Amino acid sequence: MPNLHHTLDWIRLASLRLRARTVADGVYAGSHRSRRHGSGVEFRGHRAYVPGDDLRWLDRHALMRHDRLLVRQFETETERVLSLVVDASLSMGYRSRQASGSKLEYAALVAAALGWVAASGGDRLALDWLGGSGAAPMSARGGREASDRLVGSLENVQPAGDLSRDGPAVERVLTRVARQTGRGAVVVLLSDLLDLPELTLERLAALAIRGRVVVAVRVLDPVELRFPFSRPVTLQASEGRIRVEADPAHARAGYLQALERVVRLWDVQLTSRRGRLVRASTTDDPVAVVQTTLDAVAGRRV
Amino acid sequence: MSFLSVAALAVAVLVAAPLLAHWLHGGSRAAVEFPPARLVPPVESMARRSGKLEDRLLLSLRALWILALALLGATPLVRCASVRVSRSHGGSVAVALVLDDSLSMRTITRQGESRWKRAMAAAHSLLASTREGDAFAVLLAGRPARLALGPTTDLRLVRRTLRSLSPGDRSTDLQGAASLARSCLEGLPQPDRRLVWLSDLAGEVPTGDKLTMWAPLAELRESSADCGVITAERLVGAVKAEVVCSDAAASQVRQLELVVAEKGSAVRVLASAPLASSMGSQTVSISARDVPDPVDVRLTGTDDNPSNDRAPVVAVDAGWQVAVVADPARSSVVTGGPTLTEQALRALGPPITVRPLARVPEEHGELEPYSMLVLDDPAGLTPEARSTLARWLRDGHVALALLGRAAESTELGLSMEPFAQGPLRWESTSCQGLDVSGLEWMGPDAVTLSQLDPRGRVLLDRAKPPGARVVGRWDDGAAWLLRREQGRGVVFTAGLPTAVDVGDLGLRPGFLALLDHLLTETSRRLGPRNSLVGETWSFAPELQVKLRGPEGLGPCCDVGQDGYQTLNLSLAGRYEVTVNGQKQTRIVRPEATEILDSPAELREGQPGWLIGKVTEPIDMSSELVWLILVLGGLEIGARLLLGGKRVAISEAA
C-alpha cells in the first residue's frame, strides 16, 4: 500500500483527508439519527450547532442569551461502533490501466472516509484485515486520534495473502469482530469478494443476527467488471494457482454471468439478514460510494 | 566432421525445433493477471490443461523416435570391449576356436570361477557375434589335441558342441592343437581367418605365422598356486606319493593324508605326513601298515586347483615286466653283459623291466607277473611249460620265439608248440636279409632288416602251426616271421635268433622295432596298469569290455578302422576294466608338467599374436528399428486415445 501521505499524488493525499473530511462533512448531516425522541427523553446538555442538525433542537434561549447557536442533546443519541474489515489479499492489489489506483487503495480511501464520518459523529472506530502485510488491526476507539490511527494503518498495509487457501484466518477475523462489536454496531466489509473462502458470506451474514448492521462494499476494477479482452488471452488469477486460456468471444458472457451470480448470492444473503451489498468500481466517485454505504447502513435502499 | 557429429546436429535440430516452437507458441500467450480468473468459463481451461499434458506426451514420443532414427543412421556407434569377432573387411570370417580342456584349466581364477568356465563364456560370446556365412571349428588342446567339430557354418551345431564339452585332467598339447587348427582353416572360402585361443597357454606356445592368433582372455594366464598328487604307490609298511607344487606357497602347512572311503561321502584318515614347503616335485612317504584296498591319498588345505588334490594308491607298478629266456652263452656279445635281447628291451626304456629267466616257467603263477615273453633260440618246451604258456597266452599276453639251431635238436618230449609244430630244420641260406616291403607295420627301422647277413635260418613254411600266418618273409620269399592268435594273446615265431654268429638281427634297429611292436601288441591286449591321462587304451575287437571310472560306469569304446576298440580317458583316477568277465584295476594319472608349467606371458605386440579383448562398434540397427516401430505405434495410439478425450471434453462443455 503506498504511503497515503507521500506516495499517492497530492490530489489523492489532500483528497483523502480533505475529501474525507469533505466527504465526512458532506454527509455528516444525518449520519445517523436517534430513533428515540419525544417525552421521556432526558436533556443532557448542549453542543455547538453544525449544519444539518435538526432545527427543532436548536436552543433559542441560548442564542438570545449567548448569541451562539447551540443544540440540545438528549441521552437518546447513542454511540455506535463502526467496525471496518478491509480485504488486503493479493487480488485487492490489482490495478488496471483504466483505474487510478488499485482496489485496495480505493477501499482504503473509502474506509478512511467512513472512519472520518464515524469519528466526527462521535462513534468509535475499529479496523481489522483480511490478509495483507503490515496490516495492524485497531480495536474500537473514539475521537480524532482513532481516525488518524485508522488512516495510518490504511497507509501501511500492502496486499498479501491468498485467502482462497486460508479459511481459518478469515474465520478468526470475523470471530474477533463479532466479539468486539455489540448490538447496534456497524460492520462494513470492503472487498472484491473474489477468492474469499465459502464460509465468509455465512459468517458475515451471521454477524447481523445480534442487531448489528452488516454492509459489504464490493470493489472491482473496471477490467474485472467489463472483461474488455478482445483476443485469446491467458489469464492468471492473483490467488490460487489458476491459469486459464480464454477466448473472450466465447468466455465473456459466461464470465459476466458468473460474476453476477456471486454478487447476487452476497446480496441475497445479506439482505435477508437486513444487511446490504454496495457495488463499487475503482473509477467511481468515492464520495458517492461512501454516501451509498451510509445509506445502506441507515437501511435505505441502495 | 564425422558422420556421428552430423547426425548429432541433425538430432539436435529435429528435437529442439519442435520444443522451441512449442515454447514460442506458449510464450506468445504470456499470462495476464486477472483476479477473477476462476470465474472464466471452465470448458476451455480444462481442455488447455489436459492439452498441455497431451502435447508434452506426444512431443516426448516424437522426440524419442526422431532420436532413434538419428541413432539408426549413425550406427554402429556403441563401442564395447568384448570377445567378439572383428571384421576387418566386413565379410565372413572363419574361426578355429581352440579350447584348452587340460588340467590347468580347472584352476580357479581370482574372479572365483574356473578358467574353463571363463573360456566357455567367451566361446559363447564369440559365437554370438558371428553372422550367417561365418565358419567355426572347435578344437581341444588337451593331450592329444583333438578336433571336436570340423569347420561348419551351422552355428547351432557349434553351440551344441560347446555345451557338450567339459574339462579334464589331460596335459596340454598346444603345438598339436595349433597344427590341427591351421589344417582346419586351410581351404576354407572365407578370406578372413582367425585362430582363437581360449587357453592358459601353459606349455610350448606356438609361434604366429600367416595366421594371426588371438588370445582374448588375459585372466586365463594369471599365475596360480597349486599342489597336486601325481602318483601314490603302496609299499611294504608305507605309501609313497609324488606331489608336485607350482608354488612354495601352495605347499605350506599342508599334509598328505591316507584316506579310505566310508559310507556316503565320509572318509576315514588312516595316517598322514607333512609336505615340505617347496616348489617342484617331492616324494612324501606315509608310514602305514595293513593298508586296505582301495585306498587314496589326499592333500589337506586348499589351493587354486582342488581337482588334483586326491589320487588312488596302487600296488607297486609292475609296469611292463618282460621275461627273457636266452642262453647267455649263445645270445650275448663278446664284450659280455646281458643278452642282446635284454639289451634291446632295456633300450626301449621305461616302463619296461627285463627279467631274465633260465627257462619257461612250468607253474602258471610264475608267468603271471610278466606281460611279455621272449625266447631266444629255445631248445623246446616241456608239456608243463607249454600248458602254462598256453594258459598265460589266453589271458592276453604276447610271446616271441626267435628260433635257432637249438630248435633243430629238440629233445624227445619237448616241442616248440605253440610257436611251431613238427620237426624244425636249421639250414644255411644265401639270403641277405628280409623282404622289407612287407614290414611297413614295423615302421621305418624295418629297412635295416634287409641286410642281416644270416648264416642260417629255421624254415617255418612247413612248421606253421594251425592258425598261424606269415607276417614277414626272407628276401627269397620264405617265411621269416609267423603270427598266431592264441586266445586273447598272440605268439610270434621268427626263424632267426639274435646270436651274432648266425646273423645280425640282434644288432639291427629293426629288431628294436619288432620288439616295440610286440610291446604295443601287449599293451593292446593287457592295457597299461598305470597310464597317463590322454593315452589310448586299445582292446582287441572280439573282447567284451566294460569300464567303471571315477564317475561311475562309462561308455566303451570307440572302434577304429582296424576293428580294435579304443578308449581315450580324460579324467585321472582309478578305473576298473572288465574284459570278458575278468576285472583289472588300472590307474590313470596326470602329468606333472601340467602343474609345474606356468601360463605363458604374452606381450603386447608379440609377433603373430593379438592379445586382449577387441573394442568393436556394436551394430544396434535392428534393435533401433524395433524401437522406432514401437514408438511410432505408441504415438499413433496416444493420438487416437487422447483425440477421443478432447472430443468428449468439448461435448461435455
Side-chain angles (χ1 to χ4, degrees):
Chain A
M1 170 65 72
N3 187 316
L4 296 177
H5 292 285
H6 300 294
T7 309
L8 288 176
D9 63 66
W10 68 272
I11 295 174
R12 293 183 75 190
L13 178 61
S15 297
L16 180 64
R17 288 190 176 275
L18 188 63
R19 286 183 73 182
R21 190 169 297 175
T22 303
V23 166
D25 288 346
V27 298
Y28 183 79
S31 58
H32 60 83
R33 294 169 186 267
S34 170
R35 292 182 184 170
R36 295 188 63 187
H37 51 266
S39 62
V41 175
E42 289 191 18
F43 172 70
R44 277 188 66 196
H46 292 89
R47 64 174 170 82
Y49 167 80
V50 291
D53 281 346
D54 192 344
L55 291 175
R56 288 183 292 168
W57 313 121
L58 189 69
D59 192 344
R60 294 186 183 82
H61 293 295
L63 178 62
M64 288 187 297
R65 192 173 301 121
H66 302 291
D67 198 21
R68 285 173 65 189
L69 287 171
L70 294 173
V71 176
R72 276 180 279 198
Q73 264 188 316
F74 298 95
E75 65 182 87
T76 58
E77 286 191 346
T78 57
E79 278 187 349
R80 277 187 178 184
V81 173
L82 173 63
S83 180
L84 296 165
V85 180
V86 181
D87 181 355
S89 63
L90 279 171
S91 61
M92 289 294 286
Y94 178 71
R95 172 193 168 182
S96 70
R97 286 184 214 165
Q98 299 173 24
S100 56
S102 68
K103 289 183 288 184
L104 179 58
E105 289 164 358
Y106 189 88
L109 185 67
V110 172
L114 286 170
W116 183 266
V117 170
S120 299
D123 292 324
R124 290 185 295 155
L125 297 177
L127 175 66
D128 226 316
W129 299 95
L130 295 178
S133 71
M138 187 180 79
S139 56
R141 58 187 69 216
R144 187 186 176 91
E145 183 200 353
S147 180
D148 287 341
R149 286 190 70 166
L150 174 71
V151 170
S153 191
L154 289 169
E155 288 175 346
N156 287 331
V157 74
Q158 297 292 332
D162 185 347
L163 293 180
S164 65
R165 295 164 182 253
D166 201 1
V170 173
E171 184 150 7
R172 278 196 299 274
V173 169
L174 295 179
T175 302
R176 188 163 57 231
V177 168
R179 197 169 53 242
Q180 291 177 355
T181 55
R183 189 179 182 79
V186 175
V187 178
V188 177
L189 169 68
L190 296 111
S191 168
D192 55 7
L193 305 184
L194 301 173
D195 303 315
L196 290 176
E198 287 181 11
L199 56 85
T200 309
L201 176 57
E202 188 186 329
R203 293 285 188 275
L204 193 69
L207 291 175
I209 294 173
R210 298 228 181 146
R212 300 182 190 92
V213 176
V214 175
V215 175
V217 180
R218 187 210 65 179
V219 180
L220 284 183
D221 189 276
V223 167
E224 293 171 325
L225 279 173
R226 292 195 291 273
F227 200 81
F229 305 103
S230 58
R231 296 167 65 181
V233 64
T234 302
L235 303 171
Q236 174 78 51
S238 302
E239 296 172 40
R241 294 174 192 169
I242 296 171
R243 192 181 173 101
V244 175
E245 286 202 11
D247 182 359
H250 298 99
R252 179 178 294 106
Y255 164 73
L256 293 174
Q257 285 172 9
L259 193 65
E260 185 60 28
R261 278 197 297 272
V262 169
V263 169
R264 283 205 187 183
L265 178 65
W266 277 76
D267 195 12
V268 167
Q269 289 285 327
L270 290 173
T271 304
S272 67
R273 312 282 178 93
R274 298 177 64 192
R276 288 290 186 271
L277 176 71
V278 175
R279 305 178 192 213
S281 164
T282 53
T283 52
D284 290 344
D285 177 17
V287 173
V289 171
V290 171
Q291 178 69 68
T292 307
T293 304
L294 291 175
D295 288 343
V297 168
R300 299 193 196 98
R301 292 176 69 86
V302 296
Chain B
M1 185 181 282
S2 67
F3 173 77
L4 189 57
S5 305
V6 173
L9 277 173
V11 166
V13 168
L14 287 169
V15 173
L19 278 171
L20 189 63
H22 180 75
W23 287 329
L24 286 172
H25 178 64
S28 66
R29 290 213 213 159
V32 173
E33 187 185 4
F34 190 69
R38 68 172 64 231
L39 299 179
V40 178
V43 170
E44 206 153 334
S45 59
M46 275 174 60
R48 179 61 195 162
R49 269 181 244 163
S50 64
K52 274 174 108 172
L53 186 60
E54 291 153 13
D55 287 345
R56 280 186 194 150
L57 173 63
L58 292 171
L59 183 67
S60 303
L61 285 173
R62 177 66 61 85
L64 279 174
W65 76 258
I66 289 172
L67 184 66
L69 267 176
L71 285 175
L72 180 65
T75 56
L77 55 82
V78 180
R79 301 187 80 86
C80 176
S82 62
V83 182
R84 300 179 68 84
V85 173
S86 63
R87 297 169 196 280
S88 50
H89 304 294
S92 298
V93 296
V95 175
L97 180 66
V98 179
L99 274 163
D100 188 347
D101 61 340
S102 66
L103 173 63
S104 58
M105 288 293 285
R106 301 175 88 172
T107 302
I108 307 298
T109 64
R110 284 175 207 157
Q111 288 76 33
E113 55 181 5
S114 66
R115 290 174 181 169
W116 172 260
K117 203 169 174 185
R118 281 293 300 122
M120 285 304 289
H124 283 287
S125 173
L126 198 67
L127 195 59
S129 69
T130 52
R131 301 201 289 241
E132 197 176 327
D134 291 343
F136 238 81
V138 181
L139 300 103
L140 297 168
R143 187 178 298 278
R146 288 144 288 140
L147 180 66
L149 181 68
T152 178
T153 54
D154 185 348
L155 301 179
R156 281 189 298 180
L157 180 59
V158 177
R159 276 190 205 96
R160 277 206 302 274
T161 303
L162 287 177
R163 281 196 289 266
S164 70
L165 300 175
S166 60
D169 298 328
R170 299 172 187 271
S171 56
T172 311
D173 183 8
L174 299 177
Q175 295 288 346
S179 178
L180 266 180
R182 288 192 186 101
S183 62
C184 272
L185 293 176
E186 271 176 23
L188 291 179
Q190 289 82 1
D192 200 354
R193 300 171 194 177
R194 313 286 165 77
L195 206 172
V196 182
W197 289 89
L198 296 176
S199 165
D200 54 9
L201 301 178
E204 190 182 344
V205 177
T207 52
D209 52 7
K210 281 181 275 187
L211 198 63
T212 302
M213 295 192 283
W214 179 28
L217 299 182
E219 58 265 41
L220 297 185
R221 300 191 297 281
E222 290 169 353
S223 61
S224 62
D226 179 34
C227 282
V229 182
I230 302 300
T231 59
E233 291 179 336
R234 184 208 315 258
L235 304 175
V236 176
V239 168
K240 192 169 71 174
E242 182 191 358
V243 177
V244 170
C245 295
S246 66
D247 192 293
S251 61
Q252 285 177 354
V253 200
R254 295 184 81 179
Q255 302 227 334
L256 188 69
E257 291 177 334
L258 191 65
V259 296
V260 60
E262 296 198 319
K263 274 188 183 175
S265 58
V267 294
R268 181 162 54 95
V269 178
L270 302 175
S272 65
L275 256 62
S277 177
S278 69
M279 188 178 92
S281 176
Q282 58 180 284
T283 301
V284 181
S285 184
I286 306 174
S287 299
R289 292 195 176 275
D290 302 325
V291 175
D293 187 42
V295 68
D296 291 351
V297 290
R298 75 171 183 187
L299 288 170
T300 60
T302 186
D303 53 32
D304 289 340
N305 191 352
S307 66
N308 55 14
D309 289 352
R310 184 165 175 158
V313 177
V314 294
V316 171
D317 186 8
W320 293 114
Q321 289 210 86
V322 179
V324 177
V325 178
D327 183 356
R330 291 198 299 273
S331 303
S332 298
V333 290
V334 175
T335 51
T339 62
L340 283 168
T341 302
E342 289 172 52
Q343 291 187 46
L345 285 168
R346 290 201 177 101
L348 291 174
I352 298 168
T353 309
V354 182
R355 294 275 184 263
L357 300 177
R359 55 178 174 78
V360 177
E362 293 181 352
E363 299 292 331
H364 177 67
E366 292 177 297
L367 261 182
E368 199 53 40
Y370 304 109
S371 306
M372 192 166 101
L373 175 66
V374 179
L375 307 177
D376 193 359
D377 199 6
L381 304 172
T382 64
E384 292 80 8
R386 291 201 300 273
S387 171
T388 299
L389 186 61
R391 194 171 160 185
W392 180 78
L393 285 167
R394 276 199 301 273
D395 287 341
H397 297 87
V398 174
L400 168 67
L402 302 162
L403 300 181
R405 279 186 291 221
E408 196 179 41
S409 53
T410 304
E411 293 175 9
L412 191 65
L414 302 181
S415 80
M416 282 302 173
E417 286 280 349
F419 298 101
Q421 70 174 20
L424 297 171
R425 277 187 59 196
W426 173 264
E427 67 169 29
S428 59
T429 178
S430 59
C431 295
Q432 294 302 306
L434 304 180
D435 177 9
V436 297
S437 63
L439 297 176
E440 299 90 357
W441 49 269
M442 261 194 224
D445 289 336
V447 71
T448 61
L449 299 177
S450 62
Q451 294 294 327
L452 292 178
D453 193 21
R455 264 73 84 191
R457 61 184 180 182
V458 171
L459 287 175
L460 296 176
D461 293 89
R462 286 190 287 250
K464 277 196 306 181
R469 56 189 173 93
V470 178
V471 295
R473 293 184 182 275
W474 291 99
D475 55 18
D476 63 356
W480 169 69
L481 186 66
L482 303 177
R483 175 192 172 108
R484 183 188 181 197
E485 307 290 330
Q486 189 86 2
R488 285 174 50 208
V490 63
V491 296
F492 288 86
T493 310
L496 186 70
T498 61
V500 296
D501 59 345
V502 297
D504 296 338
L505 177 63
L507 304 175
R508 296 286 183 254
F511 180 55
L512 269 74
L514 174 65
L515 293 174
D516 190 47
H517 177 79
L518 265 55
L519 283 169
T520 303
E521 284 283 347
T522 308
S523 169
R524 279 180 144 187
R525 277 158 170 71
L526 294 177
R529 301 292 175 90
N530 196 330
S531 60
L532 286 171
V533 179
E535 286 182 356
T536 300
W537 294 352
S538 181
F539 304 92
E542 67 276 8
L543 300 175
Q544 301 281 333
V545 181
K546 290 182 188 170
L547 179 74
R548 179 185 290 274
E551 294 184 338
L553 278 172
C556 179
C557 307
D558 298 324
V559 178
Q561 283 185 342
D562 55 1
Y564 270 78
Q565 303 172 76
T566 59
L567 199 56
N568 192 289
L569 298 167
S570 63
L571 292 177
R574 180 183 286 107
Y575 288 83
E576 191 179 86
V577 182
T578 306
V579 181
N580 283 7
Q582 282 194 322
K583 287 187 184 176
Q584 185 186 62
T585 299
R586 298 189 185 186
I587 302 299
V588 177
R589 66 182 190 280
E591 203 162 343
T593 53
E594 189 60 19
I595 298 173
L596 292 172
D597 284 347
S598 303
E601 285 183 19
L602 296 178
R603 291 170 277 101
E604 207 56 57
Q606 186 151 339
W609 281 91
L610 185 64
I611 298 165
K613 293 176 185 172
V614 173
T615 302
E616 277 284 317
I618 296 175
D619 184 3
M620 296 176 63
S621 50
S622 59
E623 288 86 351
L624 285 171
V625 165
W626 279 107
L627 179 62
I628 289 167
L629 286 173
V630 167
L631 288 173
L634 280 174
E635 182 176 353
I636 292 168
R639 285 187 183 278
L640 287 172
L641 185 67
L642 298 171
K645 270 178 75 177
R646 286 190 199 233
V647 171
I649 290 170
S650 301
E651 287 171 352

